[in-house]
Amino acid sequence: MSVRQFAVAWLAAALAMLALDAMWLTLMADRLYRPAIGHLMAEQFAVLPAIAFYAVYLTGVVVFAVAPGLAVGRWQVAMLRGAIFGLVAYATYDLTNQATLARWAWHVTVADLAWGTCLTAIAAVAGCGAAMKWGRPSAGGW
C-alpha cells in the first residue's frame, strides 16, 4: 500500500465514518444511551479524546481491512474484514463495560455491537473504493 493509497483510504473512511457516526449519535443519544447509561455520561463532550479515538481507529480500519482488500483488488474483502474489526473493537469496549460497571445495559451492548460492525464495514468499503479509484500514483504524484 502506497502512502497515497493510505492517505486516500484514511480520508475516505474518515468522511464516511464521521458522517454516519454523527448521525447515529445524534439520533440515538436521547433514545438509547441517555435512558440506559445516562448516569455514566459526561455533561460536556470531550473533543480531544474523540479525535484520538477516530485517528487510532481509522488507522486500524485502513491497516486491518482496507489494505487486505486493496492487496487482492476486492472491496468485499475490505467490507468483511472491516465488519470483523468493528465487531472486535466495539465488543472490547462494550463487553468490558458490561463486565466492570454496575449498571451497563445489555441492550446498549447489543446495539453498539451491531452498529460498530456495520459502521466499520461501511468505512472500510469507502476507504477501499476511494483508494482503488484515486489512490494510484499519477505521473508526477506521490
Side-chain angles (χ1 to χ4, degrees), residues 11-98:
L11 184 59
L15 292 172
M17 185 170 185
L18 292 171
L20 292 171
D21 217 18
M23 285 190 320
W24 170 262
L25 293 171
T26 299
L27 292 171
M28 300 308 288
D30 290 332
R31 292 183 179 135
L32 174 66
Y33 298 110
R34 200 163 312 283
I37 58 168
H39 61 286
L40 298 171
M41 293 173 71
E43 292 287 324
Q44 295 287 325
F45 177 75
V47 175
L48 289 179
I51 291 170
F53 162 75
Y54 284 109
V56 169
Y57 193 82
L58 287 160
T59 299
V61 170
V62 174
V63 169
F64 297 117
V66 174
L70 285 175
V72 296
R74 297 186 62 217
W75 62 266
Q76 295 92 336
V77 170
M79 181 178 71
L80 177 61
R81 292 180 66 106
I84 294 167
F85 181 73
L87 177 63
V88 169
Y90 276 66
T92 301
Y93 171 77
D94 281 284
L95 294 174
T96 298
N97 287 340
Q98 195 78 55

